[in-house]
Amino acid sequence: MAINAWELATEYVNSLGGLRPLLIIMHGPWVSGEAYVMEPKPPLSIVIIANDASVGIKEAEVGGLRIVARFLTPDLALSLVKQGDEELINAVYSGSFLVKDEEYYRLLEDTINGEIRSGRLTWDSKRGVWVKATLR
């Protein structure tokens, strides 16, 4: 049976009940397509940004796939971008959105772009990801 990560992520998010997320981003090997050829199968990574989020990392299993969900508040997500949180930054730029509040997304993207313009983030062309710039 083929794994449909999008459907499993949606099922997981729907199980969260009354949470009203601004952004839900799937990222990592399931989005890039690499997970389909990997053994053992990696977990499905999700970032959930919501005003009413209980901050932290939660794990669950849905349809035989382990899901690792990172819950953040909007202010914490902006703060983490300014601290150079590579996982969050790369999720925003290379992930797939299940939920996307355009106003908040623009604010988050503007914050990331500000970090790039300031030189605090740089592109690692070997790995194809944004990383914290090293001080010289």
Side-chain angles (χ1 to χ4, degrees):
M1 179 178 101
I3 295 174
N4 185 325
W6 187 270
E7 285 180 8
L8 295 177
T10 301
E11 183 178 333
Y12 173 74
V13 169
N14 289 338
S15 77
L16 298 176
L19 191 68
R20 294 184 320 268
L22 297 171
L23 295 178
I24 299 178
I25 313 165
M26 284 189 340
H27 64 98
W30 286 102
V31 173
S32 67
E34 297 168 47
Y36 293 98
V37 296
M38 295 171 70
E39 291 295 337
K41 295 297 181 210
L44 174 61
S45 300
I46 302 174
V47 174
I48 300 173
I49 301 174
N51 286 314
D52 49 351
S54 178
V55 173
I57 296 175
K58 296 179 182 155
E59 294 190 28
E61 187 172 313
V62 177
L65 182 64
R66 190 165 62 99
I67 295 178
V68 177
R70 184 178 184 194
F71 291 81
L72 304 170
T73 62
D75 288 341
L76 178 57
L78 291 170
S79 176
L80 290 172
V81 164
K82 292 177 182 174
Q83 294 171 36
D85 186 306
E86 295 172 10
E87 177 190 19
L88 176 58
I89 292 162
N90 287 293
V92 170
Y93 278 139
S94 64
S96 291
F97 290 84
L98 277 74
V99 172
K100 187 177 184 184
D101 176 276
E102 288 295 334
E103 185 177 338
Y104 182 74
Y105 174 76
R106 280 192 302 274
L107 176 61
L108 190 60
E109 185 180 45
D110 288 347
T111 303
I112 294 170
N113 288 336
E115 295 300 296
I116 293 168
R117 282 190 303 275
S118 72
R120 289 188 288 272
L121 289 174
T122 188
W123 182 250
D124 180 338
S125 59
K126 287 184 181 176
R127 296 186 309 156
V129 294
W130 289 100
V131 297
K132 286 168 68 170
T134 55
L135 299 174
R136 297 173 201 253

